[in-house]
Amino acid sequence: MSGMNTRYKKTVSVTLEPALLQQARDAGINLSAVLTQALKQEIDATGAERWKMENRAALQELNRITDEHGLLSDEYRTF
């Protein structure tokens, strides 16, 4: 998401429990900043999970090959 231009923002409506909103206000929390950061993290996590699912077969095959033949660097390991 680093390609997003942060100069332009869109106003949206969110629904919160009144007590939670008041606690956030009392604590001086910037709701927009917190929501933006939380959404970025959730998008990244969702993308990572999607990538794992889409590449599961390839990863399993790589693991099988490694189990069968070892790693190319095995002969150079000092530990």
Side-chain angles (χ1 to χ4, degrees), residues 19-62:
L20 184 61
L21 176 59
Q22 190 58 52
Q23 289 174 337
R25 286 181 175 163
D26 292 345
I29 294 173
N30 180 332
L31 294 177
S32 293
V34 170
L35 179 58
T36 297
Q37 186 62 34
L39 283 173
K40 286 178 181 180
Q41 290 175 351
E42 189 66 24
I43 289 166
D44 288 347
T46 301
E49 281 303 312
R50 186 179 328 114
W51 185 90
K52 286 182 200 175
M53 293 297 291
E54 290 171 355
N55 292 285
R56 174 165 277 147
L59 292 169
Q60 289 174 341
E61 179 63 11
L62 285 173

